[in-house]
Amino acid sequence: MSGTTFYTHAIGAPKSMASAATNQTQPRPQRNLYVQMGRSMLYGLRENMVRTIWQPFALSLGASMPLLGLLESLGGFWGIVPTLMQPLGGWISDRRGRKPLVLLGTTFSTLGLSVLVLAGWTHNWLWLLPGIALLGGLAIAFPALDSLTAESAVPEARGRAFSLTNTFYALAGVVAPTLGGLLAQRSGFLSVLIAGTALEALTLVALTALLRETIKPQDRRKLDVAESLDMVRTLLTPPDRLRGFYIAITVDAIAYGTGYSLLFGLLSRSYGFTPVQLGLMSSACSLTWAASQWTFGKQVDKRGTVPFMIFSELLAVVIMIAWLFVRSFPAFLVLHALWGINLAAWMPAFLAWVTNSVTDKERAQEMGRLAAFRGLIAFPAPYVGGLLYNAFGFRGPILFNIVGALIVIFILWRWVGEPHRPLAS
């Protein structure tokens, strides 16, 4: 089944299927699915261009490896800013709608990229602090974006739905990292940041014009202060039925935040890899990710989520062990291509597990709470990784990552089962 055909069937499901799905917020708009694919493509172009040169760019302004880790701890994927933004964004999104949060997050990231341009323009690393913090503000949109995707497919097809949006992101990543590396090598890091800012601004305009709200006006709720305080108090107390999964994902964030999150900086500092080489590595990863994502998504829907999360962690361990014994660019290129298979197995399984474990009315809030639980505990990990590099070199943070991944495998195998879909709201 082609991607377009799948989306059409997911929206216009047979009446027998639609009658069973009593917890839908409203009919699923097909237009939103195409908007989501376009948004994933634009975001993939921007993110892969900028992410490829971000760590070498920060180091070029005089940042040390511990400082680079501190910046990642502030606004990187596992950073404190995204950690705090996601539960807030999820809670508001479930009450006031998805679109406002998506637009707010994209506005934050546009401003953040503009500040990074200023850092490059002035050659002053201090601007990196507000820039990366604002860029991390994009995370306020993540629960709303994932909820939009989940609400565009029946539960039995959500693995494929997330696979398709991830595929468009990965397809952009086939070209964008190498393009960013070449642009940086020929015209400097600043040119890549300017291009990234333009792409993010274009994304903001397109989403404003095309994205449709999925929360009905009559289903919107007031932003009650008492409710918000209850939400804050429960950030570190996951529901009993989700506790094993929360713990596994948090250990995962600590492990990969300490090691993998600093990989390009480590390769740049330890082995002198150029922006073009780092771009080619990212492109190879995205190519295998895009090529295998749809297959893994179908298998997740057919065979379950947990086996594919375990497979992903096992493959990552094998790849990281190989990192400890190779130094050449061709070897890292091949290994990073294999990393794309790891991502293709993990993403649809992880997202399908979460979205199938909660009802529509609590989905964005629960995804935000998961991010907060994980991030509030794991956000110092990149800084710790920088300290491990100073103490032990390249192998320090990578060995820590390997041990953490093995612990995650054990937790998933021992304490995490397939999601039990809750009763409709």
Side-chain angles (χ1 to χ4, degrees):
M1 184 187 296
S2 70
T4 302
T5 305
F6 163 70
Y7 271 136
T8 303
H9 282 276
I11 301 161
K15 290 183 179 180
S16 59
M17 183 181 295
S19 63
T22 58
N23 62 337
Q24 301 306 320
T25 54
Q26 70 179 72
R28 299 181 175 107
Q30 185 173 6
R31 177 176 173 177
N32 265 358
L33 297 166
Y34 294 111
V35 174
Q36 282 278 70
M37 287 188 281
R39 185 256 172 203
S40 292
M41 179 70 77
L42 288 173
Y43 175 62
L45 289 170
R46 189 277 290 173
E47 173 70 4
N48 282 285
M49 286 179 64
V50 173
R51 179 55 58 181
T52 297
I53 62 95
W54 152 245
Q55 293 187 1
F57 165 66
L59 294 171
S60 75
L61 297 185
S64 63
M65 281 302 298
L67 177 58
L68 179 61
L70 180 63
L71 291 168
E72 291 286 350
S73 294
L74 177 64
F77 182 80
W78 291 275
I80 189 63
V81 173
T83 290
L84 297 176
M85 286 292 188
Q86 290 190 65
L88 177 64
W91 182 78
I92 296 174
S93 172
D94 282 339
R95 285 154 181 79
R96 304 306 300 169
R98 314 302 189 200
K99 184 172 180 176
L101 276 299
V102 173
L103 298 182
L104 179 60
T106 311
T107 300
F108 279 143
S109 58
T110 305
L111 292 173
L113 287 163
S114 300
V115 176
L116 293 183
V117 169
L118 183 60
W121 190 273
T122 61
H123 207 75
N124 186 343
W125 68 264
L126 289 172
W127 285 109
L128 297 177
L129 293 167
I132 197 66
L134 282 167
L135 194 58
L138 173 62
I140 202 170
F142 289 168
L145 286 164
D146 288 337
S147 295
L148 281 167
T149 302
E151 289 157 6
S152 301
V154 294
E156 295 78 10
R158 282 176 181 153
R160 284 166 284 171
F162 285 114
S163 290
L164 279 170
T165 54
N166 288 332
T167 296
F168 274 80
Y169 174 89
L171 285 172
V174 175
V175 177
T178 302
L179 179 62
L182 287 170
L183 193 59
Q185 190 158 302
R186 293 182 179 180
S187 305
F189 293 124
L190 189 59
S191 62
V192 181
L193 294 170
I194 292 172
T197 305
L199 282 169
E200 200 73 355
L202 175 61
T203 303
L204 179 59
V205 172
L207 289 173
T208 302
L210 300 175
L211 191 66
R212 288 178 176 174
E213 183 55 68
T214 59
I215 300 295
K216 290 181 179 180
Q218 61 267 31
D219 290 335
R220 294 175 186 171
R221 293 169 278 169
K222 293 181 180 180
L223 301 179
D224 185 84
V225 175
E227 277 190 35
S228 68
L229 294 176
D230 286 340
M231 181 268 293
V232 172
R233 281 193 292 267
T234 61
L235 285 181
L236 295 179
T237 55
D240 290 343
R241 60 190 171 85
L242 305 180
R243 188 162 296 161
F245 186 76
Y246 267 66
I247 294 171
I249 296 305
T250 302
V251 176
D252 180 86
I254 294 170
Y256 288 87
T258 302
Y260 178 75
S261 72
L262 299 174
L263 179 63
F264 280 12
L266 295 172
L267 293 175
S268 176
R269 180 60 59 89
S270 298
Y271 304 141
F273 281 22
T274 67
V276 172
Q277 289 174 319
L278 297 176
L280 287 169
M281 285 176 56
S282 288
S283 293
C285 175
S286 295
L287 181 61
T288 54
W289 184 5
S292 57
Q293 181 69 99
W294 179 248
T295 299
F296 277 109
K298 288 193 296 183
Q299 292 303 311
V300 165
D301 287 335
K302 182 178 179 180
R303 303 180 186 279
T305 59
V306 176
F308 289 94
M309 287 190 281
I310 292 175
F311 167 77
S312 173
E313 293 284 354
L314 283 170
L315 179 59
V317 167
V318 172
I319 294 170
M320 287 186 288
I321 290 173
W323 287 348
L324 300 176
F325 298 99
V326 300
R327 293 193 176 188
S328 69
F329 168 69
F332 272 99
L333 181 66
V334 172
L335 291 170
H336 215 56
L338 291 176
W339 196 267
I341 298 175
N342 159 36
L343 294 174
W346 178 267
M347 292 304 294
F350 165 75
L351 291 168
W353 198 101
V354 177
T355 56
N356 284 342
S357 298
V358 294
T359 61
D360 286 358
K361 289 187 177 181
E362 64 178 354
R363 180 172 293 115
Q365 178 176 326
E366 194 60 50
M367 296 185 81
R369 179 160 58 179
L370 172 60
F373 182 89
R374 173 184 62 191
L376 287 171
I377 298 173
F379 80 89
Y383 179 67
V384 173
L387 295 177
L388 287 173
Y389 173 82
N390 275 2
F392 305 105
F394 180 87
R395 293 190 173 191
I398 301 303
L399 279 170
F400 187 97
N401 197 159
I402 291 170
V403 173
L406 291 171
I407 295 172
V408 173
I409 291 169
F410 177 77
I411 296 172
L412 289 171
W413 169 72
R414 182 67 178 82
W415 287 300
V416 178
E418 290 302 314
H420 298 288
R421 208 164 290 132
L423 295 176
S425 302

